[in-house]
């Protein structure tokens, strides 16, 4: 068969993305806060790892109520992070190394310190009143009972006018009014401003929340899910696809960029509406079905941290793999700045930290889609357990603390245990560069405490150790790039109900791969389909493969193996 014409394949289908949370990545000026010149200093490290695109969490001016997800000037760099000249240099230096940069588009809301909101709030007659969502209350009460993602009502009463403004997140993050065409035009202009500088794409914050039903009806939580009052109504709201298609038409269609929408609460069918070929919307979305598994609003959502069962994780991921195959494109992730560390949640961050971090890498990166690696994931960084709540900075955690204590009667020990398992600061402690003080992150006082395990888990040690998690990531990234089947092939889940083995096959006209991931600290026999018995071992996170060449492998703790089946014409080769 002639080789496929790869010139038609968009670059982002071959890309591996690395997410940087700038505040916690690398400080260059000793103020304890990561910055752009710090990122610049680490570009060669990222290049050595083999990633292609850097997604920077917001770098724009912000009072930091939500660490930059509350923007007060979309066209200015946050002074703690540097200057526009620093950004332009970073972009140039990244491009010179063949790395692309993707920014975070946060346009569901601004900061309440954005001049638009200051003006909007100044009077009901203001020209900009309609930039935000203002409503009169009902009998002195807010317009409805929708719940904010950061606890409490989504409505804040403004003392001056007596009207309420909408904020799906904190009260310092008022929602923009997307019904207003002027607001949409302002957003598109701002997007062009960055794209014209040469930025390579956007990660779009909470993008499926832009359109709200304008009568703001009451809405019930959905039992058995994390969806609270109102969320079922404004996630994927009435005009959402019209808005995103307009954004595509006006802006995105004119640049060769990559887009990924953050879309909690979407199924594969809904996901395909955002990223389906020919829809004129986005390249891919982040769904949350695997990371929200079992979370139930009736049980305080994620804070009850229900146990995870591997068959459920497999079912969800397989549904997305097959649901989008040939229709859209998947994004692949375990970790980000809002989630606990993957090795702590899905692996074993104690005696099998290295093995399980490698296993999670293999299982994720051999699926179809664009993988996202969150800073420190390539080192197997773990969750942190600070001794008191005072060390936690995250607004979601701090607000939840009050509610869990005051409304639900949880004691401090119970709340801390929940925060250790699911709090967002697990991902936000500074990156571990070396065993130097503060892990080489800063020469000053870090804005948030470090995970005390940095003397053992750090980039310098990992690069020096050929058996580290880091080298496994590097090898797997290189392997997936050499194997078009990983980009193009079909996905078939094997043994869906097996409680500890995640097994799947990737297949195209040339190559068949069997991927096995053992999610357990014991040993486990595992039957191998006949086609793979004499397969070539392409990747293995243990030095041995027990039972190789037979129909029954014996998987060791957290072992991950990739086998390539021999073909009729000989062993298939990477093209
Ligand atoms: C999703 C972001 O990932 C999160 O960090 C932020 O708090 C909310 N959106 C609000 O912008």
């Amino acid at each position: 068969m002639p080789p496929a014409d790869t010139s038609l394949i968009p670059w982002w289908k071959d890309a591996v993305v690395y997410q940087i949370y700038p505040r916690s990545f690398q400080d260059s000026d000793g103020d304890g806060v990561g910055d752009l010149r710090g990122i610049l200093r680490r570009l060669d490290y990222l290049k050595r790892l083999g990633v292609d695109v850097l997604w920077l969490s917001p770098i724009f001016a912000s009072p930091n109520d939500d660490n930059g997800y509350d923007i007060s000037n979309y066209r200015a760099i946050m002074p703690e992070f540097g200057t526009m000249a620093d950004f332009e240099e970073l972009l140039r230096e990244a491009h010179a190394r063949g790395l692309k940069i993707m920014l975070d588009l946060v346009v569901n809301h601004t900061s309440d310190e954005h001049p638009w909101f200051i003006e909007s709030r100044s009077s009901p007659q203001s020209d900009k009143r309609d930039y935000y969502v203002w409503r009169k209350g009902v009998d002195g009460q807010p317009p409805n009972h929708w719940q904010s993602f950061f606890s409490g009502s989504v409505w804040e009463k403004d003392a001056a006018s007596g009207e309420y403004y909408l904020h799906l997140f904190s009260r310092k993050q008022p929602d923009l009014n997307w019904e207003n065409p002027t607001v949409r035009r302002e957003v598109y202009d701002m997007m062009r401003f960055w794209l014209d500088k040469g930025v390579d794409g956007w990660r779009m914050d909470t993008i499926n929340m832009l359109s709200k039903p304008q009568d703001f009806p009451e809405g019930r939580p959905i039992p058995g899910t994390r969806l609270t009052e109102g969320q079922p109504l404004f996630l994927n709201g009435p005009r959402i696809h019209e808005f995103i298609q307009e954004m595509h038409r006006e802006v995105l269609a004119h640049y060769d960029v990559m887009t990924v929408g953050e879309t909690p609460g979407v199924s594969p069918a809904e996901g395909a509406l955002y990223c389906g070929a020919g829809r004129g919307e986005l390249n891919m979305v982040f769904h949350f079905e695997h990371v929200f598994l079992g979370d139930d609003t009736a049980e305080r959502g994620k804070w009850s941290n229900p146990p995870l069962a591997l068959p459920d994780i497999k079912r969800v991921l397989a549904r997305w793999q097959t649901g989008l195959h040939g229709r859209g494109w998947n994004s692949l992730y375990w970790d980000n700045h809002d989630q606990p560390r993957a090795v702590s949640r899905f692996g074993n961050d104690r005696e099998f930290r290295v093995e399980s971090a490698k296993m999670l890498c293999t299982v994720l990166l051999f699926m179809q889609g664009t993988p996202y690696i969150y800073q420190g994931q390539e080192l197997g960084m773990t969750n942190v357990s600070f001794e008191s709540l005072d060390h936690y900075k995250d607004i979601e955690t701090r607000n939840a603390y009050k509610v869990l204590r005051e409304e639900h009667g949880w004691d401090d020990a119970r709340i801390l245990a929940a925060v250790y398992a699911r709090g967002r600061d697990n991902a936000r402690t500074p990156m571990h560069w070396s065993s130097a003080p503060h892990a080489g992150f800063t020469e000053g006082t870090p804005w948030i405490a470090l995970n005390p395990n940095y003397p053992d888990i750090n980039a310098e040690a990992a690069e020096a150790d050929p058996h580290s998690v880091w080298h496994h990531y590097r090898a797997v990234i290189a392997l997936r790039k050499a194997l078009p089947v990983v980009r193009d092939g079909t996905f078939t889940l094997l043994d869906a109900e097996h409680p500890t083995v995640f097994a799947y096959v990737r297949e195209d006209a040339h190559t068949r791969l069997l991927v096995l991931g053992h999610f357990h600290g014991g040993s486990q026999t595992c039957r191998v389909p006949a086609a793979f018995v004499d397969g070539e071992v392409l990747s293995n996170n243990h030095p041995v493969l027990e039972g190789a060449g037979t129909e029954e492998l014996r998987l060791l703790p957290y072992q991950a193996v990739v086998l390539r089946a021999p073909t009729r014409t000989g062993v298939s080769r990477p093209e």
Side-chain angles (χ1 to χ4, degrees):
M1 186 180 291
D5 179 3
T6 51
S7 64
L8 298 175
I9 295 168
W11 58 267
W12 41 264
K13 288 198 173 177
D14 283 314
V16 175
V17 182
Y18 186 94
Q19 184 192 351
I20 292 180
Y21 196 66
R23 206 172 185 75
S24 299
F25 190 61
Q26 175 71 70
D27 180 21
S28 73
D29 59 4
D31 66 356
V33 173
D35 49 41
L36 299 179
R37 300 205 75 79
I39 300 173
L40 191 61
R41 199 196 282 175
R42 297 298 182 180
L43 289 179
D44 291 329
Y45 166 87
L46 297 165
K47 191 67 194 164
R48 289 196 295 280
L49 182 60
V51 299
D52 309 285
V53 180
L54 311 179
W55 151 26
L56 310 185
S57 278
I59 55 170
F60 316 103
S62 163
N64 283 309
D65 189 50
D66 186 19
N67 289 356
Y69 283 92
D70 48 320
I71 296 171
S72 53
N73 183 345
Y74 286 106
R75 298 176 192 228
I77 301 290
M78 188 183 316
E80 283 173 308
F81 289 177
T83 63
M84 190 61 86
D86 293 333
F87 177 74
E88 285 164 356
E89 186 177 341
L90 176 62
L91 191 60
R92 238 183 356 259
E93 289 296 319
H95 285 169
R97 289 165 176 77
L99 294 166
K100 294 183 188 285
I101 293 200
M102 191 163 122
L103 296 181
D104 215 314
L105 184 76
V106 188
V107 291
N108 175 68
H109 44 269
T110 68
S111 163
D112 66 341
E113 298 181 33
H114 193 293
W116 294 341
F117 188 72
I118 294 173
E119 169 67 32
S120 177
R121 185 179 216 169
S122 67
S123 149
Q125 282 72 47
S126 149
D127 280 354
K128 296 217 163 36
R129 189 65 165 183
D130 212 19
Y131 269 43
Y132 294 85
V133 184
W134 290 95
R135 288 290 184 278
K136 294 189 173 38
V138 183
D139 301 330
Q141 295 299 311
N144 62 29
H145 290 87
W146 292 8
Q147 290 293 299
S148 144
F149 286 94
F150 292 162
S151 308
S153 170
V154 297
W155 298 101
E156 180 72 8
K157 190 171 186 172
D158 178 53
S161 66
E163 293 185 358
Y164 293 81
Y165 67 84
L166 180 76
H167 60 89
L168 298 185
F169 294 89
S170 93
R171 61 170 66 96
K172 285 186 65 63
Q173 293 168 295
D175 278 47
L176 283 166
N177 177 17
W178 272 74
E179 300 294 318
N180 180 345
T182 314
V183 166
R184 305 204 297 272
R185 257 197 315 276
E186 296 260 26
V187 169
Y188 304 153
D189 279 351
M190 175 274 282
M191 291 173 75
R192 287 186 206 102
F193 169 84
W194 290 101
L195 294 171
D196 289 340
K197 282 186 186 291
V199 159
D200 303 287
W202 296 102
R203 175 268 186 184
M204 302 189 177
D205 192 68
T206 57
I207 202 70
N208 63 332
M209 304 185 195
L210 302 182
S211 167
K212 286 94 181 173
Q214 291 301 293
D215 51 348
F216 291 91
E218 291 293 357
R220 295 226 172 81
I222 302 192
T225 76
R226 274 173 55 141
L227 301 183
T228 60
E229 283 89 343
Q231 293 181 11
L233 297 169
F234 65 72
L235 295 173
N236 315 312
R239 298 181 66 190
I240 188 65
H241 294 291
E242 178 194 333
F243 293 158
I244 297 182
Q245 283 168 12
E246 181 184 78
M247 177 190 284
H248 187 269
R249 218 171 34 246
E250 295 289 321
V251 185
L252 301 169
H254 307 283
Y255 300 84
D256 180 21
V257 292
M258 157 175 180
T259 52
V260 52
E262 189 201 27
T263 56
V266 299
S267 63
E270 287 161 329
L273 296 178
Y274 289 96
C275 69
R279 292 274 307 164
E281 297 197 18
L282 305 175
N283 298 149
M284 63 194 104
V285 296
F286 290 131
H287 74 81
F288 286 76
E289 294 199 308
H290 58 319
V291 292
F292 286 178
L293 268 172
D295 293 352
D296 185 346
T297 170
E299 303 293 332
R300 320 290 153 246
K302 72 177 184 180
W303 301 113
S304 291
N305 192 35
L308 285 169
L310 183 65
D312 294 335
I313 299 175
K314 293 192 283 188
R315 231 186 322 276
V316 164
L317 295 179
R319 208 171 56 231
W320 278 86
Q321 285 290 297
T322 52
L324 290 191
H325 183 77
R327 292 175 74 194
W329 190 250
N330 268 290
S331 67
L332 309 170
Y333 76 97
W334 295 121
D335 260 342
N336 64 37
H337 63 292
D338 295 329
Q339 300 297 326
R341 291 283 180 180
V343 69
S344 300
R345 179 134 194 246
F346 300 104
N348 173 325
D349 63 6
R350 296 168 308 277
E351 65 269 45
F352 298 117
R353 185 186 67 81
V354 169
E355 293 81 353
S356 63
K358 291 178 180 176
M359 182 277 291
L360 291 168
C361 164
T362 303
V363 167
L364 190 74
L365 267 70
F366 275 91
M367 288 191 226
Q368 185 175 42
T370 299
Y372 290 74
I373 299 170
Y374 179 70
Q375 64 184 45
Q377 183 180 339
E378 77 279 19
L379 307 176
M381 278 180 67
T382 64
N383 280 355
V384 72
S385 307
F386 293 135
E387 67 194 15
S388 101
L389 234 94
D390 301 338
H391 291 290
Y392 288 91
K393 311 286 185 198
D394 169 31
I395 182 168
E396 181 195 48
T397 301
R398 297 177 77 88
N399 287 359
Y401 172 77
K402 284 193 212 103
V403 172
L404 292 171
R405 206 180 154 76
E406 289 162 19
E407 292 176 26
H408 303 295
W410 288 25
D411 62 20
D412 275 14
R414 186 169 177 200
I415 299 175
L416 271 179
V419 171
Y420 294 166
R422 299 294 292 275
R424 303 198 299 179
D425 281 341
N426 283 308
R428 299 175 181 189
T429 62
M431 175 76 177
H432 297 177
W433 293 108
S434 71
S435 57
H438 306 312
F441 163 68
T442 182
E443 288 176 1
T445 306
W447 71 277
I448 186 171
L450 278 100
N451 192 317
N453 60 16
Y454 72 81
D456 297 324
I457 304 171
N458 64 68
E460 194 177 277
E463 280 206 73
D465 171 7
H467 304 296
S468 66
V469 178
W470 192 89
H471 278 281
H472 188 77
Y473 265 91
R474 185 170 191 254
V476 169
I477 291 170
L479 201 48
R480 67 171 270 139
K481 290 189 174 180
L483 292 162
V485 63
V486 181
R487 183 190 60 219
D488 302 328
T490 57
F491 173 98
T492 309
L493 182 66
L494 305 182
D495 210 352
E497 295 309 319
H498 196 289
T500 63
V501 177
F502 196 155
Y504 61 83
V505 172
R506 301 296 316 280
E507 179 166 7
D508 66 10
H510 309 278
T511 311
R512 256 177 309 172
L513 303 180
L514 172 67
V515 180
L516 300 171
H518 186 207
F519 281 66
H520 194 266
S523 297
Q524 172 68 51
T525 53
C526 166
R527 288 195 71 75
V528 174
F532 293 96
V533 168
D534 294 319
E536 179 192 359
V537 180
L538 293 184
S539 175
N540 183 0
N541 65 345
H542 278 264
V544 294
L545 181 57
E546 295 184 7
T550 74
E551 281 190 7
E552 204 168 81
L553 295 179
R554 189 162 180 78
L555 296 177
L556 299 174
Y558 293 97
Q559 188 157 22
V561 179
V562 180
L563 294 175
R564 174 165 51 187
T567 63
R568 278 188 295 270
T569 54
V571 174
S572 55
R573 290 184 312 276
E575 275 118 84

